[in-house]
Amino acid sequence: MKQTLLRKLYFLAFLTLPISVFAQGTISGNITDQNSEPLPGVNVVVKGTTNGTTSDFDGNYTIDVAAFPSVLIFSSIGYNTKEVKVNEASTVNVILQEGVALDEVILVGNRSKPRTILDSPVPIDNIGVSELRNTGQPSVDKMLTYKVPSFNSTTQTVSDATAHFDPADLRGLGPSRTLVLVNGKRKNQSALVYVNDTPGKGEVGVDLKSIPAAAISRIEVLRDGASAQYGSDAIAGVINMVLNKNVEFTTVNVNSGITTEGDGFKLGADVNTSVNIGNNGGYLNLTVGYYQQEETNRAGTPGNDLLFGVSADDPQWSSWLAANPDLGMTIGQPELYKGDIFFNAGVPFKNGKGEFYTFGGLTYRKGKSFALYRAPYWVSDSFNLLHEEGSEYQGFQPTFETDIRDNNATVGVTSEVLGFDFDLSGTYGRNAVDYEVNNSLNTALGANSPTSFDVGAYSFSNMLANLDVSRSLGQVNIAFGAEIKEERFTAEAGEPASHTVGQSESFPGLQPANAVIAKRNNYGIYGDLEWEPTEKLLVGGAIRYEDFSDFGDNVSWKVSGRYSLGDKGAIRGSYSTGFRAPSLHQIYLSNIQTLVSGGTVSNQGTFNNVDPIIRDGLGVPKLTAETSKNISAGITFELAQNFTASVDFYNVKVDDRVLFTGEIGLDGDDTTINPVEQILEDNDVTSIRFFINAVNTSTTGADIVLNYRGVSLGAGSLSATLAANFNETKIKGQIDTPPLLAANDYIIFNRKEQSRITSARPKSKVLLGLDYEIGKLNLSLNNTYFGEVSWMHSSNGLNGVDLGNGPLPTEDEAFDQTFAGKVITDLIIGYDFTDKISGSLSANNLFNVYPDEIDTKGDFVTDLGGRFRYPWEVNQFGFNGTVINAGLTFKF
């Protein structure tokens, strides 16, 4: 059935291509700014339709209008939107004034027609590429962290592949619940499930490091549930990356940076350019980029190793501990090398009423992070594989190295047929990661052990076909469409030496039993309706039906409304239901991990949801979709000229949230073996984990944005932005524990795992940005307050134990720690040497602020014997300290 529907969608497209509707007239003209300089790339849209074009390098535009009178909307980032009524075919020249972001036209959030942020019934951020670059951050996920208060992403460390992807989310709802689009088309997820003890544990997100900032014109962030419009994953919101089209210049950016500690050196360069295709507005935009960074190290320096019971005055190891007070650790950002190439092209036809388009890109990057250092008293090197015979053995630090490829491509066509706007497209996306463990051993193999291991690989890909149809019928705008999608997840086993007869130190290879090729497909249909009975009132609704081959179907719907306050703002609100399909990764992932706890090394098994051990042995039900209810209400208002504000309140309830359980192991009673322990013994693991729908959550919060733009101050111009997000997530009701586990008193989601949902991300974040421009000089001062986070303790067997300084506390709560909120200040200085050459100098984290240090209260397991100085299971802004950056931009 799904293949038949796909063929019908493509057949419909080919039928529609020859049909044309003759325009009633052509409007052309020139667009300039207030200084009479031409403005390229200005969006020109016939109001109430999706018929539009953009101005060329000289600010010229041409657009066909189907009927008169009509209204043309002229919009560009950084300029006030202007509406011009046209009564007949003529020449219309337009001057745009510099303005505020609330007037920018946005595409995400509705299927009917483009709207300005002021007119949108839901909250949307619109961020230009210059604002992203002005953060001084190296990747799009980190740029968004310092521009969008409700968005969070921090560098992870000593966490296997997670350190190379860095979980990112909106509103603290986890990476899985944010949908990412490129030019309005769904971006594929990454190949990785975050299974380590970091924010986002157990979830799957999009690899935001795979989209270079140089290819992006702007980013639209929809802070509202949108499953009814876009399908699965849009519970927290939608991030739409809009790629560059026509650009006036070829732009070359070169930048470099280093921490004030002298490590973490980074170097990057990119080129973006456009070429015209034909004489009717066709374009090809190309981006090529390169980036590299070195590792940083902020390890603790305990000088002893309580984790292994080795004191500083140990007669055998005191000299090694004195020479290695940090226990050999490297804890910080990973080493990284990245190259990417992106393209975005379009060829208009039918006098601009249709367009063939294609876009996509390829990102390739290699990374190296570090595992726990194997001290000489921990792992021996009896056969001198990692040290020379006769030299004193110093131990070794395994490296975890990744080879990541992310590629996507979309081909499509838009056309107007019988008054309807059609958009038919096909998309393919893939993310793949190969793992290597180097500088390591499999001690069980003795002298035959390699020191480098291929430990396996993951990949995820999807193919989509989309048909979107819309039309404006006066006061009513309608849209409807369909989508077909096929997903594929694969896991490949590592080489035998990494997992048989022992295992590679730090990360055992994936076993043949963990290898999998899993597929599923789904189709969805949707309808969208907006009604504007008056100029002030807008009401809308959407409904979507999805059917998945592996777990069933779902219906989501949404209603929204906006009451305009004229030029002064609007009152808006929405209510929606949503869903998220469990990812193929969460259904089929399985592996064995090495854990270090209390001085012992153990094997922990992750068993997938279709394994009989999980389904039949433990009675874990089949994974199904999460569902959500999202309500929001807010107001936008122009407080004074150039001074605007928006306030939005929201509540998001997620039921049957898919979670990754904590460790389920021995019950502490050595006299009996319960059914769970029997499963552990039969599978040669000391603990087990799995995915399960088990938790309901409620997230309540508010977003506040104040913009004060382009106000004269002295000889220059001042702009200021104050933006904030406040949110709180609570677990509602009881955790749904399978009966067998409940009967044996197992807790599948302990205090620490619960805190990963409720307190691992800041509950408040406030951004204050000041930008002053005077002549050729631009000064920006950005202050970002990251609110407190809390690390809740899970019992590790040390409660009440006397370690020599009196007994430790007996209650888990006594080990909890809250890390105080901190302000990170960034200073950016830009200077235009000429019209074509500019430079920048910036200091990120100007005052060298670090998170609070870990206070273990005598619990040496929490910080792994003092190896970690700063928190990693909860994380506000990383711990690199001050970073100095310099950059040059050339245009020609």
Side-chain angles (χ1 to χ4, degrees):
M1 175 180 177
K2 299 173 181 63
Q3 292 180 345
T4 300
L5 180 57
L6 179 61
R7 288 196 296 267
K8 289 181 177 179
L9 292 178
Y10 281 114
F11 181 64
L12 176 60
F14 288 120
L15 286 179
T16 62
L17 290 180
I19 303 175
S20 62
V21 178
F22 293 100
Q24 295 301 310
T26 299
I27 303 295
S28 61
N30 183 259
I31 308 171
T32 60
D33 63 12
Q34 62 267 38
N35 299 317
S36 299
E37 294 292 331
L39 289 178
V42 175
N43 295 311
V44 185
V45 178
V46 179
K47 188 173 184 179
T49 75
T50 56
N51 177 28
T53 187
T54 57
S55 58
D56 63 18
F57 293 159
D58 299 316
N60 298 316
Y61 74 95
T62 300
I63 187 169
D64 291 325
V65 177
F68 294 106
S70 290
V71 175
L72 299 184
I73 302 175
F74 298 83
S75 63
S76 182
I77 293 175
Y79 294 87
N80 287 328
T81 295
K82 188 169 186 176
E83 295 188 4
V84 177
K85 186 176 181 180
V86 290
N87 296 311
E88 60 183 1
S90 60
T91 298
V92 177
N93 297 322
V94 174
I95 299 174
L96 295 186
Q97 302 291 326
E98 290 187 2
V100 300
L102 278 177
D103 287 310
E104 296 161 8
V105 168
I106 45 86
L107 302 176
V108 74
N110 81 92
R111 293 283 196 177
S112 298
K113 65 179 183 179
R115 294 191 179 279
T116 68
I117 292 178
L118 188 66
D119 287 335
S120 173
V122 291
I124 299 175
D125 298 307
N126 195 356
I127 305 162
V129 66
S130 60
E131 295 179 82
L132 293 172
R133 287 191 177 277
N134 217 22
T135 64
Q137 299 297 320
S139 57
V140 167
D141 57 332
K142 301 302 182 293
M143 293 175 182
L144 287 173
T145 297
Y146 286 84
K147 290 303 298 183
V148 180
S150 58
F151 182 92
N152 286 285
S153 175
T154 51
T155 299
Q156 305 302 312
T157 184
V158 192
S159 54
D160 298 335
T162 302
H164 302 272
F165 285 85
D166 297 340
D169 60 40
L170 278 171
R171 293 178 167 177
L173 282 166
S176 300
R177 295 165 197 87
T178 299
L179 176 64
V180 177
L181 309 174
V182 178
N183 281 355
K185 308 299 181 181
R186 179 181 288 263
K187 179 78 172 71
N188 57 284
Q189 293 179 320
S190 78
L192 179 70
V193 182
Y194 308 119
V195 295
N196 293 83
D197 288 338
T198 66
K201 181 179 178 181
E203 303 212 32
V204 179
V206 170
D207 181 8
L208 291 177
K209 297 180 186 300
S210 67
I211 307 172
I216 297 172
S217 170
R218 68 182 191 275
I219 297 178
E220 301 169 343
V221 182
L222 168 62
R223 295 177 273 113
D224 194 51
S227 293
Q229 296 152 301
Y230 298 104
S232 178
D233 306 342
I235 287 177
V238 179
I239 297 175
N240 184 31
M241 311 280 185
V242 182
L243 302 180
N244 286 322
K245 287 187 176 182
N246 293 318
V247 293
E248 184 178 4
F249 299 103
T250 294
T251 302
V252 179
N253 295 290
V254 180
N255 59 82
S256 184
I258 193 169
T259 73
T260 52
E261 294 292 320
D263 58 7
F265 175 77
K266 60 183 181 180
L267 176 67
D270 55 66
V271 180
N272 178 261
T273 189
S274 288
V275 295
N276 292 329
I277 300 178
N279 299 317
N280 60 345
Y283 61 90
L284 170 62
N285 186 275
L286 292 172
T287 303
V288 178
Y290 173 79
Y291 173 77
Q292 70 176 59
Q293 68 181 29
E294 298 176 359
E295 73 271 9
T296 59
N297 187 13
R298 304 293 182 269
T301 54
N304 57 50
D305 195 350
L306 295 179
L307 196 64
F308 286 88
V310 181
S311 62
D313 57 0
D314 185 281
Q316 183 177 3
W317 303 111
S318 58
S319 61
W320 188 89
L321 291 169
N324 300 274
D326 59 1
L327 307 181
M329 293 296 294
T330 302
I331 298 177
Q333 75 179 19
E335 182 181 300
L336 173 67
Y337 297 89
K338 180 172 79 84
D340 40 51
I341 180 169
F342 265 65
F343 67 93
N344 185 25
V347 178
F349 63 91
K350 291 174 57 176
N351 294 323
K353 290 185 175 298
E355 181 183 69
F356 292 105
Y357 63 87
T358 181
F359 59 86
L362 169 66
T363 295
Y364 175 78
R365 68 179 188 269
K366 294 182 69 70
K368 180 171 72 174
S369 59
F370 299 88
L372 298 179
Y373 193 96
R374 268 50 180 176
Y377 48 78
W378 176 3
V379 179
S380 65
D381 183 19
S382 304
F383 296 94
N384 308 311
L385 298 176
L386 292 175
H387 77 290
E388 294 182 4
E389 185 176 0
S391 64
E392 185 175 356
Y393 176 49
Q394 300 294 319
F396 61 93
Q397 184 166 40
T399 61
F400 187 90
E401 304 188 27
T402 56
D403 190 313
I404 301 170
R405 290 89 63 205
D406 189 285
N407 57 280
N408 67 284
T410 295
V411 177
V413 60
T414 63
S415 185
E416 182 182 316
V417 182
L418 302 177
F420 288 88
D421 293 315
F422 284 79
D423 185 342
L424 178 67
S425 65
T427 298
Y428 174 80
R430 181 176 185 266
N431 184 271
V433 54
D434 294 346
Y435 299 151
E436 286 186 0
V437 169
N438 293 315
N439 197 45
S440 185
L441 294 173
N442 181 342
T443 56
L445 296 177
N448 296 318
S449 173
T451 58
S452 296
F453 301 85
D454 174 356
V455 294
Y458 292 116
S459 69
F460 175 82
S461 63
N462 61 21
M463 291 191 296
L464 301 93
N466 292 93
L467 175 64
D468 301 302
V469 184
S470 62
R471 184 174 182 178
S472 176
L473 302 170
Q475 295 177 333
V476 176
N477 299 287
I478 61 172
F480 55 90
E483 176 180 90
I484 298 175
K485 178 173 61 176
E486 180 181 89
E487 299 175 311
R488 175 188 171 102
F489 171 69
T490 66
E492 299 177 16
E495 64 178 298
S498 69
H499 58 74
T500 57
V501 191
Q503 61 189 33
S504 50
E505 284 289 335
S506 82
F507 187 91
L510 299 179
Q511 301 177 16
N514 305 135
V516 67
I517 298 177
K519 296 181 181 180
R520 77 167 171 212
N521 51 67
N522 74 283
Y523 70 91
I525 56 175
Y526 75 90
D528 190 305
L529 177 70
E530 284 188 348
W531 179 40
E532 291 184 276
T534 69
E535 289 186 0
K536 292 183 176 295
L537 182 63
L538 167 69
V539 293
I543 188 169
R544 188 182 187 98
Y545 172 80
E546 296 257 353
D547 183 78
F548 287 78
S549 60
D550 55 351
F551 71 83
D553 56 9
N554 178 84
V555 175
S556 298
W557 56 272
K558 181 174 184 175
V559 293
S560 60
R562 181 224 67 213
Y563 184 78
S564 175
L565 303 175
D567 294 335
K568 296 299 182 181
I571 300 171
R572 61 193 181 191
S574 69
Y575 179 86
S576 64
T577 66
F579 78 105
R580 186 187 76 84
S583 69
L584 285 176
H585 322 47
Q586 292 174 319
I587 298 173
Y588 292 101
L589 178 78
S590 63
N591 61 29
I592 303 292
Q593 277 191 300
T594 302
L595 298 179
V596 180
S597 180
T600 62
V601 181
S602 57
N603 287 334
Q604 180 183 89
T606 295
F607 290 75
N608 65 38
N609 188 252
V610 299
D611 195 313
I613 294 171
I614 297 298
R615 296 284 285 276
D616 302 328
L618 295 180
V620 177
K622 179 180 179 180
L623 285 181
T624 188
E626 304 173 353
T627 59
S628 67
K629 299 179 179 65
N630 188 316
I631 186 170
S632 68
I635 185 171
T636 65
F637 204 79
E638 186 176 359
L639 301 173
Q641 186 177 6
N642 297 320
F643 188 15
T644 59
S646 67
V647 181
D648 292 277
F649 300 92
Y650 61 88
N651 176 258
V652 184
K653 294 179 180 178
V654 184
D655 291 340
D656 297 322
R657 191 161 168 166
V658 177
L659 62 85
F660 191 40
T661 66
E663 299 96 23
I664 299 168
L666 305 178
D667 64 4
D669 182 358
D670 296 334
T671 63
T672 61
I673 297 180
N674 66 45
V676 178
E677 292 174 320
Q678 187 62 56
I679 291 174
L680 300 178
E681 184 176 310
D682 292 343
N683 290 275
D684 194 27
V685 293
T686 53
S687 61
I688 194 171
R689 297 185 299 180
F690 52 86
F691 290 91
I692 184 174
N693 296 92
V695 165
N696 300 333
T697 62
S698 177
T699 300
T700 302
D703 291 315
I704 302 170
V705 180
L706 302 176
N707 281 311
Y708 192 54
R709 298 289 181 93
V711 179
S712 297
L713 182 64
S717 174
L718 175 68
S719 296
T721 299
L722 176 64
N725 172 258
F726 305 93
N727 74 85
E728 182 176 23
T729 296
K730 295 181 178 180
I731 295 176
K732 311 296 289 186
Q734 299 295 315
I735 296 172
D736 191 6
T737 304
L740 176 65
L741 293 166
N744 289 277
D745 298 322
Y746 281 99
I747 299 173
I748 66 171
F749 205 51
N750 59 36
R751 297 179 74 252
K752 184 172 74 170
E753 301 303 329
Q754 292 178 41
S755 71
R756 218 178 301 281
I757 286 178
T758 60
S759 61
R761 296 293 200 190
K763 294 183 179 180
S764 59
K765 197 166 117 187
V766 182
L767 281 65
L768 174 61
L770 303 174
D771 187 89
Y772 185 67
E773 185 172 348
I774 177 170
K776 297 183 177 182
L777 180 67
N778 181 271
L779 300 174
S780 296
L781 185 67
N782 300 322
N783 296 276
T784 306
Y785 171 76
F786 293 88
E788 66 180 28
V789 293
S790 295
W791 193 346
M792 293 172 62
H793 188 273
S794 176
S795 178
N796 57 23
L798 295 176
N799 297 35
V801 174
D802 191 339
L803 298 175
N805 296 315
L808 295 177
T810 58
E811 300 296 330
D812 289 334
E813 290 86 347
F815 291 98
D816 295 349
Q817 183 174 357
T818 296
F819 300 87
K822 301 290 180 72
V823 175
I824 303 299
T825 300
D826 301 323
L827 176 64
I828 301 97
I829 302 172
Y831 188 80
D832 296 329
F833 299 104
T834 70
D835 292 340
K836 304 295 178 63
I837 302 175
S838 60
S840 65
L841 181 67
S842 67
N844 291 108
N845 196 353
L846 178 65
F847 300 113
N848 206 34
V849 176
Y850 282 83
D852 289 349
E853 296 186 16
I854 299 172
D855 178 8
T856 67
K857 304 176 179 67
D859 166 22
F860 57 79
V861 174
T862 296
D863 65 352
L864 295 182
R867 288 167 169 80
F868 287 87
R869 183 178 181 183
Y870 302 107
W872 74 99
E873 292 197 31
V874 296
N875 203 311
Q876 295 154 289
F877 49 83
F879 38 82
N880 275 343
T882 302
V883 180
I884 305 298
N885 304 291
L888 285 172
T889 297
F890 304 89
K891 296 180 179 180
F892 56 89

